[in-house]
Amino acid sequence: MSGPYTIEGSTGPWEVVVGLEVHAQVTSQAKLFSGAATEFGAAPNSQVSFVDAGFPGMLPVINGECVAQAVRTGLGLKAEIHLWSRFDRKNYFYADLPQGYQISQFAHPIVGKGEVEIELSDGTRKMIGITRLHLEQDAGKSMHDQHPAKSFIDLNRSGVALMEIVSEPDMRSPEEAGAYLAKLRQILRYLGTCDGNMDEGSMRADVNVSVRRAGEDYRTRCEIKNVNSVRFVMQAVEVEARRQIEIWEAGGTVDQETRLFDTARGVTRSMRSKEDAHDYRYFPDPDLPPLVLEQSWVDQLKASLPELPDERRARYVAMGLSTYDAHVLTIERETAIFFEEMARGRDAKLAANWLTGDYFAALNRLKRTIQDPPVPAAHMGQLLDLLADNTISGKIAKDVFEIMLETGQAPAAIVEERGMKQVTDTGAIEAAAAAVLAANPDKLAEFRSGKDKLFGFFVGQTMKAMAGKGNPALVNDVLKKLLG
Ligand code: MN
C-alpha cells in the first residue's frame, strides 16, 4: 500500500491540489440563443445568425433542448437542479466575441453541487465534488495563420451552447485529474449531452493547480487554459506542480495567473495575469428573464435518463462478469450496447470472453471500431448459439469467426456451406482414434510404459485425422476408454 501522492522537492515532499473547469459543448441542433446550426467542420461563417454576429437590436431566445441537456447532465452528476437560474453578461473585449460580452450564468447557475466517482489504477475509488454547472455561449475563433498580414475570424462557434462544469479542488495527483476528466467524458457520452470529442474542441479543460505542504491551507493556484486531452491534463498538472515547487523552494511566490500548456515543449507559460470576477463587470442580462423550470419537467427528464456507466457496470457484475470485464465493456456505451445484443438470452461470460478477446483483437487488427463493426452483434450471437448447442467446437468457432470477418456471412451459413459441423458421433471418433493408435505402435508402447504426456499426442493426431472437427470432449473420452 503506497501513501498519498507527493512530489519530492529539494526541501521535502509536496502535495498537489487540482480542480478542473471543463467546457463541454452541448449536443444540440441549434445554438443556445439562436437557430443557427452547430455541426462541426462547416465552411467558415456559414452557421451564423444575426444574434451570433452581435447585430444591434437582435434578441436572444433560449433553446429549450440546450436547457434539457444541462438538466440531464446535472442529474447524471447526481447534482442539485436549480429550478430558478439567471443569465448574466460577462463583459470582455475579444475580436471573436462580436457582442462584447458572453451570456453566461454567474451568481445563479442551473446546476449546483454534485459528485463524480473516479477509479484509479490500483482499484481505489474516490469521490470528486462538483461545485456547479452553468450554461454559457461559446466565442468565435480567430485565425492568425491564414494570411501574413491579416487575422481571420470564423463565427460558426459563436453562440454555441457550452456547459461549464466546475469541480471542487478535490484531486491530489495527475492520475486523479486524468481519471476525473475521463469519467466526466464517459458520463456525458452515456447521457448523449456532449460528444466528448476533445480533438474537435467539444471538451476543453481549464486545469487549476497549486501545491502545498501536508496539512497546510491552499496556496496560490495557476489556471492552465484549454487543455484538450486526458494525457495532456496529466502532463500539465505534473509540470506545473514542479514549476511551482521550484519557485516556493527558491524563496519566491507563485503569482495567480492564467497559463498555457505548450504540448510540444512540455512546459507551461504565462498567458495573462488572472482576472477576478469583478474584472468582467457581470450583470444580469436585461434581454433575458430568469430561467424558471417546473419540477415535473425535471422529473420527466430524470425518468428518461439512460443507464449510466457505474450502474451498468454493477449490473454486469451481478450477471456474473468479472469486475475487469464489466469495466472494459462499459467504457464506451456503444460497446455495452453491442455486448448486450450479443449476449441476450445467452451465456454472458462466454459472450464477454469473445467480445473482449477475439473480437477486440480483430478490431485492432483491422483498425475498426465498435461503432463501425466488421461483424454485427447478431452474427456474434449466432456464433455463440452454435457453440452452445455443440454444432461447433471452440476451436472451429475461431475459424468460423475468421471467415465471418472475411466474407461478412452469417456463421450458420458458413458452417453449413463449408461442412464445419463438429463430429459428435462416437463411432466415427472411435474409428479415427483406433486408426491413430494402430499407426503409432511405438508411441503406444511408450505410453503403456508410463509416458502419460503422450495422451496429448494421441488427442492431437485424432483431431488431425478428423480435420479438426471432432468434438474435443468426446475425443478425450474415447481415447481414455481405448487407452484405459
Ligand atoms: Mn466559461
Side-chain angles (χ1 to χ4, degrees), residues 426 430 448 455 475-484:
T426 4
E430 266 174 19
R448 297 243 190 264
F455 186 77
V475 168
N476 265 282
D477 289 349
V478 164
L479 276 164
K480 267 181 204 150
K481 203 179 75 186
L482 292 180
L483 293 167

Side-chain angles (χ1 to χ4, degrees), residues 86-309:
R86 193 181 68 197
F87 287 97
D88 302 285
R89 287 187 183 180
K90 182 180 184 181
N91 298 281
Y92 59 100
F93 177 78
Y94 238 68
D96 51 26
L97 187 73
Q99 298 167 122
Y101 58 84
Q102 175 190 36
I103 305 178
S104 181
Q105 296 187 306
F106 177 56
H108 300 281
I110 186 166
V111 174
K113 286 198 178 307
E115 60 188 18
V116 165
E117 191 179 37
I118 59 167
E119 187 178 325
L120 305 173
S121 56
D122 66 358
T124 317
R125 306 178 80 81
K126 180 176 173 176
M127 280 299 180
I128 306 298
I130 298 292
T131 313
R132 59 184 282 166
L133 174 158
H134 66 255
L135 278 167
E136 63 183 27
Q137 298 176 297
D138 205 349
K141 189 167 95 181
S142 297
M143 288 170 286
H144 310 291
D145 56 356
Q146 308 283 309
H147 188 279
K150 291 176 178 161
S151 283
F152 291 159
I153 288 174
D154 177 5
L155 292 181
N156 279 356
R157 243 173 38 196
S158 170
V160 163
L162 300 178
M163 297 179 282
E164 180 171 333
I165 304 166
V166 182
S167 84
E168 293 291 311
D170 286 346
M171 289 152 269
R172 293 288 175 273
S173 68
E175 190 195 359
E176 289 185 11
Y180 167 77
L181 184 58
K183 185 62 178 285
L184 188 62
R185 183 177 55 183
Q186 183 192 34
I187 292 172
L188 300 191
R189 281 180 167 168
Y190 263 74
L191 290 166
T193 58
C194 170
D195 65 28
N197 293 336
M198 300 190 76
D199 48 359
E200 291 179 0
S202 331
M203 241 180 125
R204 288 109 74 185
D206 299 340
V207 188
N208 286 286
V209 180
S210 64
V211 297
R212 66 177 178 185
R213 301 290 194 188
E216 266 184 6
D217 279 343
Y218 295 135
R219 296 195 183 199
T220 311
R221 65 190 157 87
C222 287
E223 178 179 0
I224 306 151
K225 268 307 219 203
N226 283 333
V227 186
N228 66 356
S229 82
V230 170
R231 190 166 54 92
F232 287 153
V233 163
M234 295 170 69
Q235 287 174 4
V237 169
E238 166 109 32
V239 299
E240 176 59 16
R242 290 186 186 278
R243 185 189 72 88
Q244 293 179 16
I245 290 168
E246 269 183 41
I247 295 174
W248 291 121
E249 292 194 328
T253 358
V254 170
D255 295 323
Q256 185 178 337
E257 60 180 359
T258 302
R259 300 180 67 83
L260 279 179
F261 181 51
D262 181 334
T263 53
R265 291 170 53 220
V267 296
T268 67
R269 50 191 165 75
S270 184
M271 192 178 156
R272 54 173 189 252
S273 67
K274 173 72 187 176
E275 322 76 2
D276 276 314
H278 62 251
D279 295 324
Y280 289 115
R281 299 292 187 270
Y282 280 101
F283 66 89
D285 192 308
D287 289 340
L288 290 160
L291 181 60
V292 182
L293 312 179
E294 282 176 22
Q295 185 60 50
S296 59
W297 184 69
V298 174
D299 292 342
Q300 266 175 40
L301 291 174
K302 188 168 191 174
S304 63
L305 223 54
E307 186 181 35
L308 290 170

